[in-house]
């Protein structure tokens, strides 16, 4: 009999109950008990949904982040939050957010505690709180969270398998601030894990899922060797360990994973199906194999009949030793498709969210353990749904296919090299040294949000909506003129989100209403769903930009989101390579670029905020990704005359490893994030002569602080040590939509004065 199980479930709640409970607690509108009971209710609901499987996870629920949970379990609290009296939950939020809650007795004194650093969880859009280590780090067990969840599960009669993050992944995810080796801490860490496993056994756990997703990444030899030693210690205990790997193939770590003395191994069969035979052949006779056969990262219905074709022979071979599950925790997809009563019914039939994934696993289990006949109706319905998708005219558009077939490398090529273009552009634009500009958005006021919302709900007609947006555009233009900025923007008031805005106007996308996915803490995103060939219906931004341009003699930048960013922030098709979807998006954006140019727009910015985060986990796959991503960007951007200036923007700072690809994008001007690190990030430019114009951000828009003029001058001069000053621009780090005008106006005033002063200094010299 195959065993069905799940690795983790979204915790935010169908209606984002956890988000609301957290925010209400943080703002002092509800009590800690309210929050705790929301957690209990959600766990109960989620276990009830999962109880159709043989094993459900416990300990996957989190009030903020599962990595931070693990740090607390291991007693690894940063020094700066130790010694606070009060409830552990408040200390937990102090690390997560820099403060706990408004009504906390330490609410005031704790404002100074800096929050833990946040970074992306592997190649997902989820962000975790980075564990902090140093030579003085000591570990001590606090199993209370897991014990409580095990007790709840027992009380409610669910068959729970506690989930923890393994010791090597825990260490690998952290930083060691004193620069020492993280592995040196393992000896101190393992006894705490051993104690934890003992405690879980005492709570009645027979299986514990121990997640080691770093096994799908490039590991240094020292880490590979340590794996065996560590698991010798852990498997000496009383529980059976299911070693879970996900987000990719094991590759060169396959033999290592297979040789660990654990009771079972979970493999991501969506991304590593080709490794099943080898893993099966290496398993010991007492080991189980768990296969992640339905996708925990994407929203398309599984092809159940095909999965069964794959599983039946394995099941025949392994018998009771086969387990099946989603590929990874379902944290990365929305909770329940059934809530989507307004979704296009045709497309809805092709989708599965977390709740539907559980049903898929159940059906697969029933087919394996009884027969396909036992679930004939489900399998037939699945076949019909999949056929409706593959046959749909809306998925396959012959006009798009024809355009794709005609794509030639020249499409991505500007007519002349940067130097010649720069000369043309200088003649046409006549900008000063250190030109000043912003990244696109200006503060999104309540009035703007209200107008957009009313328009969407049909409460505001088209004309009234346009008038409201035009008034905002006018305000932005007047402000920018008064500030004396050189290259203006229209302010993006009409955009709720830089990807959604374009997705809504392109054929090939649908949008859920409740399809929220946790990004970090209480923050959720609702990624667009790219289901079909992408086609632009018509101009998407031209009229807003032209309206802005009609109000000023200064150049107004057209403002677009690039193809790679649209792709990386959406749920994308699984029936064609990402690179093909990206190319379709590139062709659509290219049409918009060309329309802007024809309408007289002289400067066009194409944001690629998410280009870096699409990098594959394995370095060996980077080159291929970067090649097609850069090609797509170039196709979008480069269909213009030399005199049209193309900008791009990226809001991240680690460029060292991809600087060549960024240069290959060949944008005339790139604006990047740098202010937070005091221009240290420009180190990338020490060894690489970036050839084009660059605007290193001088104003950290993530902070309410207003940068002073001298600070900005200092930053630009630092940049000037690495980049010739005539190629430097002066601009903020990112868009200003999350800030208030009261902050933005003085900050930009200082920025413009700094540019003026710099001009004086450099014109004179
Ligand atoms: N143009 C966008 C804005 O200004 C860019 C946002 C981003 O890079 N995340 O808001
Ligand atoms: Zn940005």
């Amino acid at each position: 009999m195959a065993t069905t199980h799940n690795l983790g479930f979204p915790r935010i709640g169908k209606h984002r109950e956890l988000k609301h409970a957290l925010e209400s607690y943080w703002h002092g509108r509800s009590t800690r008990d309210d929050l705790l009971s929301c957690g209990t209710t959600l766990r109960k609901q989620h276990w009830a949904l999962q109880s159709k499987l043989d094993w459900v996870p416990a300990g996957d629920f989190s009030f903020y982040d599962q990595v931070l949970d693990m740090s607390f379990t291991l007693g690894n609290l940063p020094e700066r939050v130790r010694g606070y009296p009060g409830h552990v939950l408040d200390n937990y939020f102090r690390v997560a957010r820099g403060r706990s809650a408004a009504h906390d007795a330490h609410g005031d004194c704790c404002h100074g505690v800096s929050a833990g650093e946040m970074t992306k969880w592997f190649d997902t859009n989820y962000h975790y709180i980075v564990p902090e280590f140093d030579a003085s780090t000591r570990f001590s067990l606090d199993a209370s969270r897991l014990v409580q969840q095990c007790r709840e599960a027992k009380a409610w009669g669910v068959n729970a398998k506690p989930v923890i993050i393994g010791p090597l992944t825990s260490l690998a995810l952290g930083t060691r601030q004193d620069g020492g080796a993280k592995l040196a801490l393992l000896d101190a860490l393992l006894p705490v894990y051993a104690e934890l496993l003992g405690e879980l056994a005492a709570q009645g756990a027979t299986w514990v899922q121990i997640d080691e997703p770093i096994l799908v990444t490039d590991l240094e030899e020292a880490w590979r060797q340590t794996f065996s030693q560590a698991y010798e210690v852990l498997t000496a205990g009383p529980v059976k360990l299911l070693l879970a790997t996900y987000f990719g193939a094991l590759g060169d770590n396959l033999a290592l994973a297979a040789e660990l003395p654990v009771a079972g191994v979970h493999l991501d069969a969506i991304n590593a199906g080709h490794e099943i035979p080898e893993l099966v052949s290496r398993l010991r006779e007492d080991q189980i194999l768990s296969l992640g056969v339905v996708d925990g990262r994407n929203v398309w219905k599984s092809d159940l009949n095909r999965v069964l074709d794959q599983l039946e022979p394995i099941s025949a071979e392994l018998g009771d030793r086969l387990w099946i599950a989603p590929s990874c925790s379902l944290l990365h997809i929305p909770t329940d498709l059934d809530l989507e009563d307004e979704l296009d019914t045709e497309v809805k039939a092709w989708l599965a969210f977390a709740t539907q994934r559980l049903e898929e696993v159940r059906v697969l289990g029933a087919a394996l353990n009884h027969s396909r006949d036992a679930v004939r109706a489900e399998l037939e319905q699945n076949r019909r749904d999949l056929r409706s998708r593959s046959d749909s005219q809306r998925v396959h558009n012959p006009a798009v296919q024809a355009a794709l077939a005609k794509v030639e490398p020249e499409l991505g090529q500007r007519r002349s090299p940067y130097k010649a273009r720069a000369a043309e552009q200088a003649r046409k634009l006549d900008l000063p040294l250190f030109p000043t500009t912003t990244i696109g958005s200006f503060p999104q006021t309540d009035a703007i949000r209200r107008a957009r919302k009313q328009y969407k709900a049909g409460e505001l007609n088209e004309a009234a909506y346009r008038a409201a947006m035009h008034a905002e555009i006018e305000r932005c233009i007047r402000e920018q003129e008064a500030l004396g900025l050189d290259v203006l923007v229209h302010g993006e008031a009409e955009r709720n989100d830089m990807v959604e805005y374009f997705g809504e106007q392109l054929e090939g996308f649908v949008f859920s209403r409740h399809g929220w996915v946790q990004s970090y803490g209480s923050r959720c995103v609702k990624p667009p769903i790219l289901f079909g060939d992408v086609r632009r219906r018509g101009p998407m931004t031209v009229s807003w930009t032209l309206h802005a341009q009609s109000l000023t003699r200064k150049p107004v930048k057209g403002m677009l989101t690039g193809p790679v960013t649209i792709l990386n922030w959406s749920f994308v098709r699984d029936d064609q390579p990402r690179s093909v979807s990206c190319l379709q998006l590139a062709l659509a954006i290219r049409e918009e670029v060309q329309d802007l140019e024809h309408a007289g727009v002289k400067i066009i910015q194409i944001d690629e905020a998410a280009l870096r985060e699409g990098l594959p986990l394995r370095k060996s796959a980077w080159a291929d990704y970067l090649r097609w991503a850069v090609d797509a960007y170039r196709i979008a951007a480069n269909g213009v005359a030399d005199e049209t200036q193309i900008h791009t923007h990226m809001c991240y700072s680690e460029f060292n490893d991809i600087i060549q690809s960024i240069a290959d994008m060949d944008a005339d001007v790139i604006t990047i994030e740098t202010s937070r690190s005091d221009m240290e990030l420009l180190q990338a430019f020490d060894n690489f002569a970036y050839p084009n114009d660059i605007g290193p951000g001088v104003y950290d828009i993530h902070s309410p602080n207003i940068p002073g003029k001298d600070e900005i001058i200092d930053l630009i001069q630092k940049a000037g040590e690495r980049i010739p000053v005539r190629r430097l621009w002066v601009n903020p780090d990112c868009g200003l939509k999350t800030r208030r005008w009261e902050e933005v106006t003085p900050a930009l005033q200082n920025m413009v004065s700094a540019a003026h002063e710099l001009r004086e200094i450099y014109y004179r010299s």
Side-chain angles (χ1 to χ4, degrees), residues 439-441 492 498 559 607 609 649 651 734-735:
I439 306 303
S441 57
E492 303 182 21
M498 65 188 281
M559 197 56 63
D607 292 327
H649 164 70
C651 21
C734 194

Side-chain angles (χ1 to χ4, degrees), residues 405-630:
K406 275 199 289 202
V407 169
E408 307 230 335
E410 293 76 68
L411 278 191
Q413 207 63 42
R414 292 292 289 266
R415 281 162 221 171
S416 310
Y418 162 78
K419 277 220 167 75
R421 301 192 314 253
E424 283 284 308
Q425 292 161 19
R427 242 193 312 280
K428 182 143 182 192
L429 295 167
D430 194 26
L431 295 169
L433 195 60
F434 300 111
T436 54
T437 190
T438 61
I439 306 303
S441 57
F442 269 95
Q444 293 242 333
T445 59
D446 287 343
I448 296 177
R449 284 184 230 276
R450 205 174 320 120
R452 267 203 323 257
K453 213 168 165 184
Q454 288 174 337
Y455 176 56
K456 258 204 158 149
E459 293 158 19
L460 203 63
N461 67 30
E462 175 86 25
Y465 173 70
R466 290 196 80 80
M469 293 299 119
H470 282 176
E472 283 300 332
I473 289 174
E474 176 147 12
R475 172 182 189 179
C476 282
I477 295 291
R478 295 289 163 253
E479 292 274 355
Q480 294 173 85
E481 289 210 310
L483 286 161
L485 287 155
D486 300 306
V487 172
L488 312 194
V489 296
H490 77 286
E492 303 182 21
E494 77 288 5
R495 303 185 191 175
N496 37 355
D497 172 275
M498 65 188 281
V499 169
E500 191 167 280
Y501 179 77
F502 291 93
E504 280 176 343
Q505 299 186 74
L506 292 168
E507 270 177 25
F509 281 93
V510 287
F511 293 82
S512 65
R513 271 168 57 84
H514 307 278
W516 297 101
V517 177
Q518 197 174 7
S519 168
Y520 64 88
S522 66
R523 261 289 261 282
C524 301
V525 294
K526 194 153 57 63
I529 298 168
L530 174 55
F531 72 88
D533 287 344
V534 175
R535 204 181 65 95
R536 196 184 68 137
R537 298 191 183 97
M540 303 183 281
T541 64
V542 178
S543 72
W544 303 120
T545 312
L546 288 189
H547 182 75
Q549 188 64 80
S550 74
L551 303 169
T552 177
R553 300 168 63 111
K554 296 251 176 101
V556 175
K557 274 194 276 195
M559 197 56 63
L560 307 173
T561 302
V564 187
T565 297
I566 298 180
L567 184 87
N568 285 346
W569 283 348
S570 301
F571 285 120
V572 297
R573 294 172 64 171
D574 61 351
D575 59 346
Q576 66 184 22
R578 294 172 77 85
S579 56
V580 175
S581 299
C582 197
L583 190 55
Q584 294 185 359
L585 288 161
L587 291 173
I589 299 297
R590 178 184 174 93
E591 289 177 11
E592 186 72 11
V593 169
Q594 292 179 332
D595 275 1
L596 283 167
E597 182 184 54
H598 291 152
V601 178
K602 301 188 191 77
I603 306 182
I604 301 164
Q605 176 174 314
I606 304 160
D607 292 327
E608 284 294 14
L611 187 131
R612 190 178 203 291
E613 63 184 63
L615 280 174
L617 290 174
R618 294 280 192 168
K619 205 120 196 189
S620 56
W622 280 26
D624 182 52
Y625 165 75
L626 287 168
R627 185 188 44 71
W628 62 252
V630 170

Side-chain angles (χ1 to χ4, degrees), residues 180-201:
K182 289 186 275 186
L183 278 182
L185 299 169
L186 191 70
D187 284 344
L189 188 55
L190 287 178
V192 180
Y193 268 91
E195 202 186 329
L196 172 61
L197 294 175
E199 183 63 47
L200 294 172

